[in-house]
């Protein structure tokens, strides 16, 4: 944060705008009482890892055992409309096989209370069941559902005594009742996640197909079903119900597999210790999540004409559209995190499909963190680096480079030229119908409390500048 403010002091903006940006950033980067920030997203340098994590940490879930209107119930062996999958094992089934629970003393550090060191906890081992196959699943969040970041006080109440640097979200139904809570800790490449909700309301983005009838472990009197899966058995999961609350705890061994300094596989041990810690710890308190402010949400598909009539952002759309481009569609979105208007124009002239994307929104913390000075070209100029940029752009500049944000006071045609390159098209591109063309990588322009973010193909830099000049609400110098 201090490094960012020092950098911002070098940018030629008015003192009032500096102060406003810093205040907004400080507000968005922290939760009440110092809640932990979300970790930065992995760049596409780690797309292989991201693909794995999507399965585990996806925001959109399929719920195999929900009440009606949230997901269908599919009994074991049934075929759902979206494929073959089985219901998660019933961990409350009295006839389910239970593995022996060897007990051995292992010291586990939990959150200290009043500077007192807790005594070592007896760890009940888990039996990790193998799976035949794994399938990722998705489900569109129903209209009206919303979520909020957990504050530090809420994290302490929902996960009492858990010694982790967590950030998390609570997902609500439209009536304000809790759907589920999800918390995460990212340590380099390894992750730990805890998802919980009232019994029978457990979200699931990963469907596991057990090889045999799963063995249920006994952990201090609580039945826990644990699994190991992945191509290299690098993912671990445990499901259980405690005091009417359903839990899913997950860990990984990705750091070991990727050779990032961790020379031991400890995902099983971390999961086992955490499950024991939750089972023997204080009871969770979900009452702190009750009575949320129910937001006014929007998720509307619009025509460009309707988008221009939007009271908040319509006047930030360009009046000038380059020749050959036709109206496509627009989308108005308001969530607890975003307030956006998206507009799209497209054409198929000149070989291949060209497109203009134009987003108008209230700036997020991510937008504010990516503000660059027009003088620091190494942070944003696509013509300074060879493709693939993931290998040539310095790490210190990479976050800025992906989506730089210019202050309106510094925005010039030169900024557009720095984000636009002429693609001569390789032979393979021509074979697919893509001819040489202009390609403009994403960038944003901050106009006080509104940001415009664009990306385009097939549009010359001078036409992009003309589009900005035609926006009724702004006055470029």
């Amino acid at each position: 944060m201090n490094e960012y403010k020092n950098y911002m002091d070098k940018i030629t903006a008015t003192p009032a705008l500096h102060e406003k940006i810093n205040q907004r950033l400080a507000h968005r980067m922290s939760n009440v009482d110092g809640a932990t920030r979300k970790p930065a997203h992995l760049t596409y340098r780690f797309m292989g890892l991201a693909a794995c994590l999507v399965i585990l940490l996806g925001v959109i879930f399929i719920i195999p055992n929900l009440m009606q209107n949230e997901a269908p119930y599919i009994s074991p062996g049934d075929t759902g409309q979206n494929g073959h999958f089985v219901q998660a094992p019933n961990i409350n089934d009295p006839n389910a096989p239970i593995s022996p629970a060897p007990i051995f003393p292992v010291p586990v550090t939990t959150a200290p209370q009043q500077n007192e060191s807790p005594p070592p906890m007896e760890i009940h081992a888990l039996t990790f069941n193998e799976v035949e196959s794994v399938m990722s699943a998705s489900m569109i969040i129903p209209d009206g559902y919303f979520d909020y970041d957990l504050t530090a006080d809420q994290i302490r109440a929902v996960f009492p005594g858990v010694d982790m640097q967590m950030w998390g979200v609570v997902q609500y139904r439209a009536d304000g009742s809790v759907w589920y809570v999800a918390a995460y800790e990212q340590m380099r490449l390894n992750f730990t996640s805890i998802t919980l909700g009232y019994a029978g309301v457990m979200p699931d983005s990963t469907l596991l197909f057990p090889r045999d009838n799963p063995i249920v472990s006994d952990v201090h009197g609580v039945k826990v079903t644990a699994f190991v899966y992945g191509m290299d058995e690098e993912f671990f999961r445990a499901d259980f119900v405690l005091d009417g609350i359903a839990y899913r705890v997950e860990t990984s061994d990705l750091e070991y597999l990727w050779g990032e300094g961790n020379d031991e596989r400890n995902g099983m041990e971390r999961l086992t210790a955490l499950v024991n810690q939750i089972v023997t710890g204080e009871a969770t308190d979900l009452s702190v999540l009750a009575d949320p402010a129910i937001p006014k949400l929007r998720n509307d598909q619009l025509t460009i004409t309707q988008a221009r009539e939007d009271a908040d952002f319509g006047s930030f759309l360009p009046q000038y559209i380059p020749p050959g481009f036709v109206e496509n569609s627009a989308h108005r979105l308001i969530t607890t995190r975003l307030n956006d208007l998206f507009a799209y124009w497209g054409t198929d002239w000149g070989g291949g499909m060209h497109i203009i994307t134009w987003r108008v929104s209230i700036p997020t913390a991510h937008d504010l963190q990516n503000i660059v000075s027009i003088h620091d070209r190494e942070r944003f100029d696509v013509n300074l680096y060879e493709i693939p940029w993931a290998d040539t752009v310095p790490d210190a500049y990479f976050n800025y480079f992906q989506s730089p944000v210019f202050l309106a006071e510094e925005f010039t045609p030169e900024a557009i030229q720095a984000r636009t390159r002429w693609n001569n098209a390789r032979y393979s591109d021509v074979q697919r119908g893509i001819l040489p063309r202009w390609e403009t990588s994403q960038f944003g322009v901050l106009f006080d409390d509104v940001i415009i973010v664009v990306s385009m193909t097939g549009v010359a830099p001078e036409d992009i500048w003309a589009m900005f000049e035609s926006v009724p609400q702004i006055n470029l110098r």
Side-chain angles (χ1 to χ4, degrees):
M1 181 67 176
N2 290 333
E3 180 181 353
Y4 170 79
K5 288 183 177 180
N6 292 336
Y7 172 69
M8 281 296 299
D9 289 339
K10 302 175 183 178
I11 298 179
T12 56
T14 63
L17 182 57
H18 267 308
E19 182 63 22
K20 181 179 292 187
I21 292 172
N22 285 329
Q23 287 179 354
R24 187 189 293 122
L25 181 67
H27 173 72
R28 292 175 182 266
M29 289 177 65
S30 62
N31 288 325
V32 178
D33 295 330
T36 306
R37 280 185 56 193
K38 291 184 179 181
H41 294 291
L42 296 177
T43 64
Y44 54 75
R45 176 179 310 202
F46 299 112
M47 287 301 289
L49 169 62
C52 296
L53 294 184
V54 163
I55 296 176
L56 292 167
L57 306 179
V59 176
I60 299 176
F61 301 91
I62 191 165
I63 317 302
N65 189 20
L66 288 184
M67 296 179 289
Q68 62 180 11
N69 299 329
E70 288 181 352
Y73 173 84
I74 307 295
S75 61
D78 285 352
T79 301
Q81 294 180 352
N82 295 324
H84 300 273
F85 57 95
V86 298
Q87 177 195 5
N90 185 352
I91 57 181
N92 290 318
D93 183 359
N95 298 319
I98 299 179
S99 65
I103 301 175
F104 48 93
V106 176
V108 176
T109 303
T110 59
Q113 301 293 329
Q114 300 179 351
N115 296 324
E116 295 181 0
S117 298
M121 178 179 61
E122 289 185 340
I123 297 295
H124 287 211
L126 297 176
T127 295
F128 285 86
N129 298 278
E130 296 182 344
V131 300
E132 191 70 36
S133 60
V134 181
M135 183 176 72
S136 61
S138 63
M139 176 180 176
I140 297 176
I141 300 295
D143 288 341
Y145 281 40
F146 59 96
D147 65 281
Y148 286 115
D149 288 336
L150 293 174
T151 68
D153 286 342
Q154 289 172 332
I155 288 177
R156 284 190 289 267
V158 176
F159 306 99
V162 175
D163 186 25
M164 293 169 53
Q165 296 295 316
M166 294 187 295
W167 62 272
V169 297
V170 51
Q171 178 79 52
Y172 292 97
R173 299 184 183 87
D175 62 3
S177 60
V178 173
W179 183 12
Y180 66 86
V181 182
Y184 313 98
E185 180 186 55
Q186 186 81 40
M187 302 296 290
R188 294 173 62 87
L189 297 182
N190 281 339
F191 71 88
T192 302
S193 69
I194 307 174
T195 308
L196 58 84
Y198 292 105
V201 192
M202 177 54 59
D204 192 358
S205 62
T206 306
L207 301 178
L208 304 182
F209 298 82
R211 181 166 298 171
D212 301 302
N213 192 27
I215 297 175
V216 179
S217 304
D218 184 306
V219 178
H220 300 279
V222 175
K223 297 176 182 178
V224 181
T225 306
F227 297 93
V228 53
Y229 61 99
M231 294 184 62
D232 296 293
E233 297 189 335
E234 68 271 32
F235 299 117
F236 313 97
R237 188 175 92 179
D239 297 289
F240 57 95
V241 175
L242 180 65
D243 299 327
I245 305 296
Y247 285 79
R248 172 159 296 146
V249 185
E250 299 171 283
T251 60
S252 74
D253 268 343
L254 293 171
E255 189 169 302
Y256 170 85
L257 294 177
W258 284 56
E260 291 294 324
N262 186 350
D263 58 358
E264 63 177 338
R265 301 193 64 162
N266 56 15
M268 285 186 176
E269 288 77 10
R270 288 189 291 117
L271 180 64
T272 301
L274 184 54
V275 169
N276 277 262
Q277 190 175 356
I278 293 173
V279 170
T280 61
E282 300 177 37
T284 187
D285 180 11
L286 294 184
S287 67
V288 298
L289 307 176
D291 301 320
I294 299 179
K296 294 181 179 180
L297 308 175
R298 288 189 65 180
N299 187 8
D300 302 328
Q301 196 74 21
L302 308 173
T303 65
I304 297 296
T305 299
Q306 292 171 327
R308 294 189 188 280
E309 297 171 353
D310 183 78
D312 297 319
F313 300 135
S315 59
F316 286 91
L317 295 180
Q319 296 295 325
Y320 169 73
I321 303 299
F325 283 85
V326 296
E327 294 183 0
N328 190 326
S329 64
H331 188 213
R332 189 69 173 93
L333 179 67
I334 300 179
T335 71
T336 55
R337 306 172 188 284
L338 300 174
N339 189 349
D340 295 328
L341 173 64
F342 294 88
Y344 308 87
W345 291 265
T347 181
D348 58 2
W349 60 268
M353 179 65 183
H354 299 306
I355 192 169
I356 296 171
T357 68
W358 193 280
R359 175 172 68 90
V360 188
S361 66
I362 302 298
T364 65
H366 182 264
D367 295 324
L368 300 177
Q369 286 177 290
N370 285 346
I371 292 176
V372 297
S373 168
I374 193 65
H375 305 293
D376 293 339
R377 299 184 72 91
E378 67 276 7
R379 295 174 184 260
F380 60 84
D381 194 335
V382 299
N383 301 292
L384 296 180
Y385 305 101
E386 297 291 330
I387 292 176
W389 290 323
D391 294 333
T392 59
V393 177
D395 290 343
Y397 303 148
F398 198 78
N399 285 336
Y400 296 101
F401 189 85
Q402 292 184 91
S403 185
V405 175
F406 303 99
L407 298 176
E409 291 86 346
E410 294 193 343
F411 187 53
T412 63
E414 289 71 29
I416 297 174
Q417 293 170 358
R419 293 301 290 173
T420 303
R421 59 185 289 270
W422 178 257
N423 185 350
N424 285 316
R426 298 167 298 180
Y427 176 78
S428 59
D429 293 331
V430 175
Q431 292 296 102
R432 292 185 290 116
I434 299 177
L435 299 182
R437 63 182 184 179
W438 291 107
E439 295 181 350
T440 302
S441 298
Q442 179 172 296
F443 70 87
V445 184
L446 182 63
F447 299 93
D448 198 8
D449 291 329
V450 173
I451 187 171
I452 297 176
V453 178
V454 304
S455 63
M456 308 182 192
T457 57
V459 185
E462 55 269 24
D463 278 328
I464 300 176
W465 178 254
M467 292 178 68
F468 275 95
E469 285 188 312
S470 72
V471 174
Q473 190 64 25
I474 63 178
N475 181 24
L476 296 175
R477 61 183 182 180

